[in-house]
């Protein structure tokens, strides 16, 4: 839908900027998970996520015109060259020249940096791909004056982010976003995410996500391989149907402020994601014994304290502890006393629901 052959520089066009464009974009945590895709990065089911704030990527892009046609970049990650990442970026840029034809006319100097340690086991694809996609949309705006309106800009940024990493589509909107067409959600689409924060009940406006690092080693299955494994998973059809029902359930809970229903759906989604991996062929167990110990302790604490605290998981062993900011003191005392002993070097990241990406003067990218 965003293919546009006109976005090409002609001779008389335009003054090239020599100030880098810098975007900071956050990670997100899915409440209802995206797991299974088809075509050009299209989801098999609707997903919904909280946008985070403390786990983010900053990316800066400086561009200049060049003579030779083709993708040309230099790339530094946290101050050092990183050929593996550079190659990924080259492939990604080459795959979107139908959307941004001017990319073959430019040389891009890209620098990127994460707010969290690279080796923490925290997936950075959502924050890094959305940060880069936002830079590309800003370049288009500088060179061609489009997209014109804010709404168009953010929708395109979500679309372009999605082509880099599906879950990145959801990172561009504040607080809460939905990605994937759902018959009962107006405006939802497989191609870009929909901002959804306007539906949040005050109970969910200020929400914390304590990310407990159980293991920082890299995952034994990439999310790309995991999505592909869903094609042969015997429970796939049931899963996609259930995910779409869970989206409705959680939207209802988020709108009405119903903690109990929220907890029930979020925890079921986390365990379902891991069940799907365990029942794929080949099968993967990505939880560690400490993951289960932490989950059990969270449930016991919820029962005994009455605080509406829950857990969710990504495709890995680390545990996201979710709770309203009003319970922050009690839950953090509990984390300190009971959970950190099960984490690698007692490491955790105190994150919370955040306001989405921002264009910045960089403080990470020296
Ligand atoms: O965006 P990808 O392709 O890395 O897939 C992410 C999938 C999960 O993080 C496991 C779930 C989700 O919806 O974010």
């Amino acid at each position: 839908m965003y293919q546009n052959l006109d976005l090409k520089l002609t001779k008389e066009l335009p003054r090239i900027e020599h100030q880098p464009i810098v975007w900071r974009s956050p990670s997100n945590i899915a409440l209802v998970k995206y797991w299974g895709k088809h075509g050009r990065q299209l989801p098999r089911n609707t997903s919904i996520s909280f946008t985070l704030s403390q786990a983010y990527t900053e990316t800066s892009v400086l561009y200049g015109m060049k003579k030779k046609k083709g993708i040309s970049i230099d790339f530094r990650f946290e101050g050092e060259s990183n050929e593996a990442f550079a190659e990924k970026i080259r492939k990604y840029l080459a795959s979107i020249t139908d959307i941004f034809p001017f990319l073959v006319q430019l040389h891009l100097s890209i620098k990127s940096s994460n707010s969290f340690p690279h080796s923490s086991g925290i997936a950075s694809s959502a924050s890094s791909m959305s940060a880069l996609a936002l830079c590309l949309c800003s370049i288009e705006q500088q060179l061609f004056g489009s997209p014109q309106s804010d709404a168009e800009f953010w929708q395109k940024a979500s679309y372009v982010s999605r082509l880099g990493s599906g879950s990145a589509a959801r990172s561009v909107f504040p607080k809460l976003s939905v990605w994937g067409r759902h018959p009962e959600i107006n405006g939802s689409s497989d191609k870009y995410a929909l901002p959804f924060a306007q539906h949040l009940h005050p109970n969910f406006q200020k929400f914390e996500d304590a990310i407990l690092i159980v293991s920082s080693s890299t995952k034994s299955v990439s999310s790309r391989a995991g999505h592909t494994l869903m094609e042969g998973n015997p429970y796939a059809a049931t899963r996609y149907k259930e995910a779409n029902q869970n989206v409705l359930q959680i939207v209802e809970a988020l709108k009405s402020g119903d903690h109990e229903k929220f907890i029930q759906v979020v925890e079921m989604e986390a365990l379902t994601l891991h069940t799907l991996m365990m029942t794929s062929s080949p099968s993967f167990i990505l939880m560690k014994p400490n993951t289960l110990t932490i989950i059990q302790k969270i449930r016991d604490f919820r029962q005994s304290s009455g605080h509406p605290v829950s857990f969710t998981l990504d495709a890995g062993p680390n545990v996201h502890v979710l709770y309203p900011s009003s319970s922050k003191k009690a839950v953090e005392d509990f984390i300190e006393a009971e959970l950190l002993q099960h984490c690698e070097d007692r490491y955790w990241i105190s994150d919370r629901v955040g306001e989405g990406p921002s264009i910045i003067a960089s403080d990470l990218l020296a």
Side-chain angles (χ1 to χ4, degrees):
M1 65 187 278
Y2 283 109
Q3 284 76 0
N4 185 353
L5 292 176
D6 294 338
L7 296 181
K8 248 192 179 147
L9 297 167
T10 54
K11 270 205 198 91
E12 63 275 17
L13 264 173
R15 195 171 58 86
I16 304 292
E17 291 291 333
H18 289 286
Q19 276 291 96
I21 288 166
V22 189
W23 276 95
R24 173 186 293 179
S25 190
S27 185
N28 68 74
I29 181 69
L31 306 171
V32 173
K33 312 289 180 182
Y34 147 61
W35 199 239
K37 64 177 174 181
H38 64 104
R40 195 176 174 185
Q41 207 83 305
L42 298 166
R44 290 281 185 201
N45 63 265
T46 311
S47 58
I48 182 166
S49 58
F50 278 146
T51 302
L52 297 178
S53 96
Q54 301 304 299
Y56 57 80
T57 299
E58 284 183 7
T59 297
S60 90
V61 181
L62 191 64
Y63 61 89
M65 219 164 170
K66 64 177 170 51
K67 290 254 149 55
K68 221 172 134 205
K69 290 271 157 67
I71 297 297
S72 163
I73 65 163
D74 58 81
F75 175 69
R76 289 180 88 74
F77 179 69
E78 296 184 345
E80 299 188 1
S81 57
N82 184 320
E83 197 33 49
F85 284 1
E87 194 45 35
K88 264 195 185 166
I89 293 174
R90 265 183 223 109
K91 274 200 180 137
Y92 168 61
L93 297 177
S95 77
I96 54 175
T97 52
D98 54 341
I99 300 167
F100 300 119
F102 58 84
L103 282 177
V104 300
Q105 301 175 288
L106 300 177
H107 175 81
L108 307 183
S109 280
I110 307 173
K111 290 182 191 164
S112 195
S113 200
N114 292 338
S115 64
F116 47 94
H118 177 51
S119 58
S120 64
I122 306 261
S124 61
S125 66
S127 55
S128 60
M129 295 318 296
S130 54
L132 180 57
L134 283 156
C135 291
L136 299 177
C137 290
S138 288
I139 294 175
E140 178 191 327
Q141 236 175 18
Q142 280 190 350
L143 295 179
F144 301 94
S146 62
Q148 276 178 354
S149 71
D150 275 2
E152 285 167 333
F153 178 88
W154 291 109
Q155 182 168 302
K156 183 162 187 176
S158 177
Y159 180 102
V160 176
S161 301
R162 182 197 103 234
L163 296 173
S165 163
S167 57
R170 299 184 310 238
S171 269
V172 306
F173 296 115
K175 292 186 178 175
L176 184 70
S177 51
V178 167
W179 170 46
R181 204 189 67 79
H182 195 294
E184 292 179 50
I185 300 180
N186 269 345
S188 61
S189 167
D190 284 351
K191 296 183 173 166
Y192 45 82
L194 187 66
F196 223 62
Q198 68 277 21
H199 297 293
L200 277 176
H201 185 276
N203 283 357
F204 292 101
Q205 291 280 351
K206 289 197 160 62
F207 226 69
E208 306 288 318
D209 177 5
I211 311 170
L212 307 186
I213 309 302
V214 170
S215 167
S216 63
S217 11
T218 40
K219 298 183 283 183
S220 55
V221 59
S222 67
S223 59
R224 176 200 289 252
H227 289 294
T228 308
L229 284 175
M230 279 304 282
E231 295 306 300
N233 188 294
Y235 305 108
T238 315
R239 157 61 189 162
Y240 300 140
K241 221 166 114 190
E242 186 185 84
N244 286 348
Q245 283 159 3
N246 282 346
V247 166
L248 289 185
Q249 293 280 318
I250 211 148
V251 165
E252 208 178 296
L254 291 166
K255 277 181 175 169
S256 63
D258 186 339
H259 283 298
E260 214 171 296
K261 188 181 231 159
F262 174 85
I263 291 167
Q264 194 241 322
V265 178
V266 159
E267 294 193 350
M268 165 142 92
E269 273 292 318
L271 297 175
T272 301
L273 174 68
H274 282 259
T275 305
L276 292 167
M277 287 185 264
M278 289 193 273
T279 54
S280 289
S281 176
S283 139
F284 290 94
I285 301 176
L286 299 188
M287 287 186 282
K288 301 279 185 209
N290 278 341
T291 310
L292 289 174
T293 303
I294 289 173
I295 287 175
Q296 191 54 54
K297 283 192 170 182
I298 290 171
R299 288 185 163 175
D300 292 345
F301 174 76
R302 180 165 74 228
Q303 180 79 24
S304 61
S305 72
H307 286 286
V309 49
S310 57
F311 69 84
T312 188
L313 306 164
D314 248 327
N318 303 324
V319 182
H320 290 246
V321 190
L322 302 173
Y323 47 98
S325 303
S326 52
S327 295
K328 192 170 160 73
K329 170 85 177 75
V331 177
E332 285 188 4
D333 287 350
F334 157 68
I335 289 174
E336 177 76 33
E338 294 290 335
L339 303 185
L340 291 191
Q341 58 192 288
H342 307 294
C343 296
E344 193 176 278
D345 301 330
R346 299 179 66 84
Y347 185 50
W348 70 293
I349 295 173
S350 170
D351 211 334
R352 64 197 61 89
V353 171
E355 296 304 320
S358 48
I359 196 158
I360 51 158
S362 170
D363 57 5
L364 285 184
L365 302 158

